[in-house]
Amino acid sequence: EFGRKLEPKKILRFFAPNLVMTLAYLYLRTYAVPNVWKTPYPVLTLEENIATRIGLLGKMMLELVNPLKPNFSDATEILHFGSPQVIITILVLLATLFYVLKKGMASGTSKAVITTAIMIAPGLDIVPVPRISSPHYAYLGLPAIASFIILLITQQKKLFKKFSLILLAAWIMLASVVSLLSGTQFKNDETFFSPEVKKDPNFSEGYYFLGNYYLKDGQYEKAAKNFEAAISNQPWFLVH
């Protein structure tokens, strides 16, 4: 572990094994999959690939602390470095990095922040997967972000600690009510996907499952309408 002062030898000793493993992985991955990112449609530039994933990181960070139900759509807008989501995410990341360096790598809150980053990293589609974005990609980071919040509260002074605990209790109550009310959405594919495609008309998979539901139910006009919507992809979105 590090002390509060960043000692170069300890930093090297800590990161050297991880760096070796990372380089070995990059070599094997490049050998097996030569493409940097293999997104089937549309083909993105390197700048679009990086900016879009920075935007995804910001989206996952928001989903970790938002008590409301996230959208289930996996349609992902193609972003650029000038996009507001990207700029805001970069500023948050820089502020987080400053916080970690100020607190020291050995502090509990810094460890929780680093663990959160490691936990949500697989959701960035660094290794190409069939789905670019989905809310459950961020859920792996929940224990780490919860640890960070608890540690942060315990370090506050008495007055701020009481206020923080009240906010936390309100957050938990709101999240519980939202979870309870959202349970009815899982009744069938129609109740599940209809609200989602209304929220995001680019949710192709949602239209597909609705079309499938109506087809099996004999509602052929509705089925055809949803299947047609499923294949009308927008060129500025990544959809699966």
Side-chain angles (χ1 to χ4, degrees):
E1 292 182 354
F2 298 107
R4 289 197 176 272
K5 294 182 179 179
L6 298 176
E7 299 179 19
K9 289 183 179 179
K10 290 184 177 181
I11 294 175
L12 183 62
R13 192 185 311 152
F14 181 82
F15 283 108
N18 296 297
L19 179 61
V20 171
M21 290 179 63
T22 302
L23 292 174
Y25 161 75
L26 289 174
Y27 170 76
L28 294 173
R29 195 242 184 230
T30 304
Y31 180 80
V33 186
N35 309 74
V36 177
W37 279 293
K38 193 176 181 181
T39 304
Y41 175 81
V43 178
L44 306 184
T45 65
L46 181 61
E47 185 254 352
E48 289 172 335
N49 266 305
I50 296 173
T52 299
R53 281 160 178 82
I54 292 175
L56 284 176
L57 181 60
K59 180 183 176 184
M60 286 189 287
M61 291 162 60
L62 182 61
E63 288 170 346
L64 282 173
V65 297
N66 185 4
L68 303 179
K69 184 185 72 63
N71 295 339
F72 293 129
S73 173
D74 61 353
T76 303
E77 185 178 3
I78 299 170
L79 301 175
H80 301 270
F81 284 122
S83 303
Q85 303 99 303
V86 177
I87 295 173
I88 293 171
T89 302
I90 290 174
L91 291 175
V92 171
L93 291 174
L94 290 174
T96 304
L97 178 62
F98 176 78
Y99 174 86
V100 170
L101 293 175
K102 184 178 179 181
K103 284 290 183 180
M105 300 287 286
S107 71
T109 50
S110 293
K111 290 178 181 177
V113 169
I114 295 169
T115 305
T116 302
I118 293 171
M119 290 296 190
I120 64 177
L124 298 179
D125 192 40
I126 297 172
V127 178
V129 293
R131 190 185 304 275
I132 296 293
S133 172
S134 186
H136 67 270
Y137 284 179
Y139 292 167
L140 191 60
L142 282 174
I145 194 69
S147 300
F148 170 75
I149 292 171
I150 295 300
L151 289 169
L152 196 62
I153 290 175
T154 57
Q155 293 175 6
Q156 302 299 315
K157 294 181 180 179
K158 189 174 181 180
L159 179 62
F160 289 104
K161 186 183 292 186
K162 287 184 178 179
F163 181 69
S164 300
L165 288 172
I166 291 172
L167 285 179
L168 180 61
W171 189 98
I172 293 173
M173 289 178 64
L174 177 59
S176 300
V177 172
V178 169
S179 298
L180 179 64
L181 297 177
S182 300
T184 56
Q185 190 173 339
F186 292 82
K187 183 179 179 180
N188 55 52
D189 280 353
E190 183 180 34
T191 59
F192 184 88
F193 288 104
S194 289
E196 301 304 320
V197 297
K198 287 179 181 177
K199 292 177 187 175
D200 186 358
N202 296 292
F203 188 15
S204 296
E205 188 180 34
Y207 284 119
Y208 164 76
F209 280 111
L210 278 174
N212 228 17
Y213 174 84
Y214 291 129
L215 180 63
K216 292 178 181 178
D217 196 46
Q219 302 182 55
Y220 301 118
E221 289 186 8
K222 285 187 175 181
K225 183 180 178 181
N226 279 279
F227 283 139
E228 288 172 1
I231 60 176
S232 59
N233 297 339
Q234 300 294 341
W236 54 88
F237 274 83
L238 293 171
V239 291
H240 290 269

